[in-house]
Amino acid sequence: MRLSFALVLLVPSLAAAQITAEQKKETARWVLSLEVPGGGFSAAPQDPSAGAAPRPSLRATSSAVRALKYLGADVPNTDKHAAFVLTCYDPKTGAFAEPGGKPDVTITSIGVMAAVEVGVPKEKFAKAMDYLKEHAKTFEEVRIAAAAVEAWGVKDCPFKLDDWFAVGMKYGDGTASSPQDGGARDTGSLAALFLRLGRDLPPNNVKSIFADGQRADGGWGKQGAKASDIETTYRVMRALMLLKEPPKDAKKLREFIAAHRNKDGGYATAPGDKSSIGGVYYSVVVSKWLDGMEGAKK
């Protein structure tokens, strides 16, 4: 199998369109407005006319606490958030689930990441690793489970990861599609799986698939989609971050992220949509990675 990566890229100024300190504070305030008094965070602002109490979400809580960290803001009431996360955990099966929802690999992986982030002792949700080992079978399941293992600690992982790497090898390297039509997304997804788990990439002929895949609007997109999207951009940027390689056009990427920002201080998953915790998480993290790349070049 061949993997293709842009290891020789142009390095423009990364300072353009950076999120300002004041904007970070505004975004942090937006995130904190989603905090549920009893613990956890909701996925979006509560409609005052609805008259219902805000409902916490495990996915939103994981995104919120990590976004606040990347924004340089404190996470208040971590004890309450930790207690909420544990209410989503089933110690018998080792699975996490949203309140009232069904467990699966994705939400269990998110639960592990949230638990680690809010300081829940590992022994209180250790069986989650067994659940992931048993149930992560498809590439997307393995990919998100790898994020949980990274959060848990790769060296402390209680099982071998060979089966997951085998799934990745079967997935392919992204070269079946053109870089701008899903190839960069696939390559980034596979590269991140290997790199975040400490596995070297297989020998490959170096190509500029990430550089070629960056679209005119500054982002990256899915196969068949005309517009770039922030989630695909996040996947590609995670791979570039792990490779310690800046994107070809950081200025356009920052402009792409800025287009997702709303007047309320939040970010949408698509320009013009309402702010959501998902939009905030992707936009803030990608911006933070760009900031790190800029600092590394100084």
Side-chain angles (χ1 to χ4, degrees), residues 163-228:
D163 289 345
W164 289 5
F165 290 121
V167 171
M169 297 289 279
K170 291 179 181 178
Y171 176 73
D173 62 2
T175 57
S177 303
S178 70
Q180 290 207 2
D181 190 31
R185 175 188 174 91
D186 291 343
T187 301
S189 300
L190 182 61
L193 168 65
F194 276 73
L195 293 171
R196 73 194 310 171
L197 295 181
R199 179 69 64 92
D200 291 335
L201 297 173
N204 61 89
N205 296 320
V206 177
K207 296 180 181 179
S208 57
I209 193 168
F210 292 135
D212 293 342
Q214 190 174 12
R215 298 178 174 186
D217 61 8
W220 289 264
K222 299 174 183 177
Q223 185 176 19
K226 293 182 179 180
S228 300

Side-chain angles (χ1 to χ4, degrees), residues 96-184:
F96 282 87
E98 289 283 11
K102 296 181 179 180
D104 59 30
V105 168
T106 296
I107 198 63
T108 297
S109 300
I110 290 170
V112 170
M113 289 184 276
V116 170
E117 203 65 54
V118 296
V120 177
K122 289 182 179 179
E123 60 268 20
K124 291 190 175 183
F125 60 100
K127 200 171 181 179
M129 304 305 288
D130 296 330
Y131 179 91
L132 294 178
K133 176 187 177 183
E134 181 180 352
H135 291 86
K137 303 298 182 184
T138 68
F139 177 75
E140 281 301 310
E141 288 173 341
V142 166
R143 184 193 69 82
I144 191 66
V149 170
E150 182 185 39
W152 178 272
V154 177
K155 292 182 179 180
D156 295 331
C157 182
F159 57 89
K160 293 184 178 180
L161 299 164
D162 293 348
D163 289 345
W164 289 5
F165 290 121
V167 171
M169 297 289 279
K170 291 179 181 178
Y171 176 73
D173 62 2
T175 57
S177 303
S178 70
Q180 290 207 2
D181 190 31

